[in-house]
Amino acid sequence: MKKSKILAIILAAAAVCSSVAGCSPKSADGGASDGGKNQVEEKKKDFSGVQLRVAGYRDLRTDPYNSSYSIGADKFMEEYPGSNVEFLVAGKEGGNEQIVAAVNAGDVWNVQLIIGVSLPGIFRNDLYTPIDEYINKNNPVYTKELVEEAGTYLGKTYAVGNVMMSDFQYGIYNETLYNDYNIKTPAQYYQEGAWNRESFLKMIDDLKANQVQMYLNFEKPNKTGTYAVEHHDDGTVELAYNKQPNREWLTFIKNIVYDKGVTSIKNGKTYTREVGFALDILPHILIDAKNSSTQDTIRYIPFLAKENPISSYIVEYYFGVPNGAKDIEASVELIDYMIKACVEDRTAMYKENMLEEDYKIFEETAVDSHYIVRDCGVWPENEVVEYFRAGGAVSTNIDENATRMQTIVDDYNKSVEEDRAKMSSGGDKSETAKGADNKEAEDKAAAE
């Protein structure tokens, strides 16, 4: 999906929103905001004394990559005296089962940080409650396109997020080392409009010729499955694993890991002189680089952002309200505070630790890039990268997986149509949906 907006617009809008409470969706008379047109001055809500619980795949108060959410929670508690926000760990291994157990026990938490690319696969199983009446999609705290693309299922919004909450597949490199060996840098390719697959492979050859190590993380399936499916506006999907864009993408991966023989070097050496280039995820690589002791010039570059960007995003993070949660309006207000704090923290961190030129490139490409939001559990059963490292053929990989994947797509689309029919007739979701038939999709959504 291509975006016309750039990140700067989103962040500028967030900056002029002086407080999250002031950007809330309800107008003074209880009606929904119109996004700024003829908007009535809002009546301030009071959530003093409310007791809220937030669950995440890690402890969001102490996790180094997500602790900014706790900053937002602290601001919420400052704004509303006597309120309290508690952080729980739930939502990774067995995360959906934890929510189901909590709902059945009548003790579900208020907010869940949802991670993954199978969001409709869990929304359609009644794990989350629609929050349309509590939000305004034009609220600058959210990235509207992301909410509409992945946080919405059959016209109902179940989760909200912002582009800056996401993990980005990104390149980091030691420019000092490149200069020492007279190797052309990714930034030079980028400025020439030539940062593409061909130049990426040329860079690998140059690094290998000078015995400069590199670390390329292709292991996560939502990277290797970039072109696996196409998404339709009606909520259904189409298998694209055997189409030409995916064949070219898989061939590119095989070229790197088999023909070029690039092996992974795990974290710990990524940002020293021993490793000249790494492909991993922001914000992790930036935080690690920031804490390293190297005096070399460290640069950042999007992954082939000027030629059909290849999943500049790898994982989106959203907040949703589990079914059965109490104090939904207060929960959404807390979500707004947490998202705003995360956006401000990530923006400052990236600006402070990237060269100005690199941050400008990040800003230009962060929103206007390809990203993955739904997979419906169709990834190949085998580990694609390991398959290619062993010399497996692209055509064989496609042939071995396409039939199985088509069955999953057909079952998913059938369930979507059943849900739509039920909703249009005013009935409940289908028994197929309630039975969590697409377990593979749920497992993917529960994993980091």
Side-chain angles (χ1 to χ4, degrees):
M1 175 180 176
K2 285 281 186 180
K3 314 267 187 316
S4 59
K5 296 181 181 179
I6 62 172
L7 186 60
I9 298 175
I10 296 173
L11 299 179
V16 301
C17 179
S18 59
S19 70
V20 177
C23 295
S24 54
K26 295 280 189 172
S27 64
D29 60 359
S33 165
D34 60 5
K37 299 177 181 178
N38 303 317
Q39 188 170 1
V40 179
E41 183 178 354
E42 293 184 5
K43 184 177 181 180
K44 183 174 175 60
K45 299 182 288 293
D46 186 3
F47 299 115
S48 299
V50 70
Q51 305 296 300
L52 303 175
R53 293 184 296 168
V54 179
Y57 72 112
R58 295 172 178 163
D59 186 333
L60 301 185
R61 186 167 289 282
T62 61
D63 180 57
Y65 310 118
N66 297 291
S67 59
S68 57
Y69 296 130
S70 69
I71 298 173
D74 290 340
K75 290 181 178 179
F76 177 92
M77 289 186 283
E78 290 174 8
E79 179 70 21
Y80 303 111
S83 64
N84 186 62
V85 179
E86 177 186 359
F87 287 95
L88 312 173
V89 178
K92 192 174 183 181
E93 296 299 330
N96 292 337
E97 289 79 2
Q98 291 172 332
I99 295 178
V100 171
V103 171
N104 291 338
D107 189 33
V108 69
W109 43 89
N110 302 85
V111 176
Q112 174 74 45
L113 179 65
I114 311 170
I115 307 173
V117 291
S118 301
L119 297 185
I122 60 176
F123 295 155
R124 60 181 304 275
N125 287 304
D126 283 342
L127 294 181
Y128 295 88
T129 187
I131 54 177
D132 298 87
E133 66 177 293
Y134 303 101
I135 67 169
N136 167 22
K137 290 181 184 178
N138 293 313
N139 185 338
V141 170
Y142 311 140
T143 300
K144 183 179 179 182
E145 292 87 350
L146 294 181
V147 175
E148 292 178 340
E149 179 71 13
T152 302
Y153 178 65
L154 297 185
K156 292 185 178 182
T157 302
Y158 293 87
V160 291
N162 186 291
V163 62
M164 287 294 280
M165 297 167 62
S166 302
D167 287 343
F168 296 85
Q169 187 177 14
Y170 224 74
I172 179 173
Y173 63 99
N174 186 328
E175 185 177 65
T176 304
L177 196 59
Y178 276 66
N179 292 339
D180 287 349
Y181 288 106
N182 196 29
I183 299 172
K184 191 169 185 178
T185 69
Q188 291 171 323
Y189 283 119
Y190 184 91
Q191 296 304 331
E192 294 172 1
W195 182 230
N196 52 38
R197 294 178 188 176
E198 181 179 353
S199 60
F200 190 83
L201 296 174
K202 173 65 166 60
M203 181 194 71
I204 289 177
D205 289 339
D206 291 341
L207 292 173
K208 288 176 69 67
N210 289 280
Q211 298 183 321
V212 177
Q213 296 177 348
M214 66 201 81
Y215 163 42
L216 306 181
N217 182 357
F218 282 107
E219 276 72 7
K220 290 191 176 182
N222 50 323
K223 293 179 183 177
T224 55
T226 296
Y227 299 106
V229 292
E230 296 173 356
H231 308 290
H232 299 158
D233 292 339
D234 64 359
T236 60
V237 299
E238 178 182 352
L239 183 65
Y241 203 70
N242 57 354
K243 291 188 177 181
Q244 190 61 26
N246 189 60
R247 289 180 179 272
E248 293 175 357
W249 167 232
L250 294 181
T251 300
F252 176 63
I253 294 176
K254 183 185 177 183
N255 198 334
I256 292 173
V257 301
Y258 181 73
D259 299 332
K260 303 293 184 184
V262 177
T263 58
S264 294
I265 301 173
K266 290 302 180 183
N267 293 334
K269 293 184 177 180
T270 309
Y271 316 110
T272 66
R273 289 186 64 85
E274 284 77 16
V275 178
F277 182 91
L279 180 67
D280 210 320
I281 60 174
L282 288 174
H284 296 60
I285 55 176
L286 189 142
I287 291 175
D288 291 346
K290 181 179 70 170
N291 295 329
S292 72
S293 59
T294 181
Q295 299 301 308
D296 293 347
T297 300
I298 302 299
R299 301 289 303 269
Y300 298 86
I301 193 76
F303 186 36
L304 309 186
K306 283 200 171 183
E307 183 193 74
N308 299 323
I310 303 172
S311 66
S312 289
Y313 290 84
I314 63 167
V315 176
E316 287 79 44
Y317 291 64
Y318 298 83
F319 280 115
V321 178
N323 247 341
K326 300 177 178 61
D327 298 312
I328 297 178
E329 189 171 16
S331 299
V332 173
E333 182 85 351
L334 172 61
I335 288 173
D336 289 358
Y337 272 80
M338 291 191 294
I339 292 178
K340 184 171 185 287
C342 176
V343 171
E344 291 175 346
D345 180 72
R346 293 275 175 88
T347 302
M349 180 172 61
Y350 291 178
K351 280 186 174 181
E352 291 170 4
N353 292 282
M354 289 182 180
L355 296 183
E356 183 177 354
E357 176 186 353
D358 292 348
Y359 182 79
K360 182 179 178 182
I361 293 173
F362 169 80
E363 189 178 53
E364 290 173 347
T365 59
V367 173
D368 189 22
S369 62
H370 176 86
Y371 66 101
I372 307 166
V373 291
R374 293 172 286 182
D375 71 70
C376 311
V378 299
W379 305 127
E381 293 176 348
N382 64 291
E383 294 292 333
V384 175
V385 172
E386 293 306 315
Y387 177 82
F388 290 142
R389 280 203 175 112
V394 170
S395 58
T396 304
N397 172 275
I398 292 174
D399 291 342
E400 289 179 349
N401 288 286
T403 300
R404 178 191 65 84
M405 295 166 73
Q406 185 63 59
T407 300
I408 295 173
V409 166
D410 291 343
D411 290 345
Y412 181 84
N413 287 341
K414 179 181 178 181
S415 298
V416 170
E417 296 297 342
E418 290 176 356
D419 287 350
R420 182 179 292 107
K422 291 283 186 180
M423 293 172 70
S424 64
S425 64
D428 294 332
K429 283 188 177 181
S430 68
E431 291 302 317
T432 304
K434 290 182 179 180
D437 59 309
N438 197 345
K439 187 176 186 303
E440 187 173 359
E442 292 184 4
D443 291 341
K444 290 288 186 182
E448 180 184 356

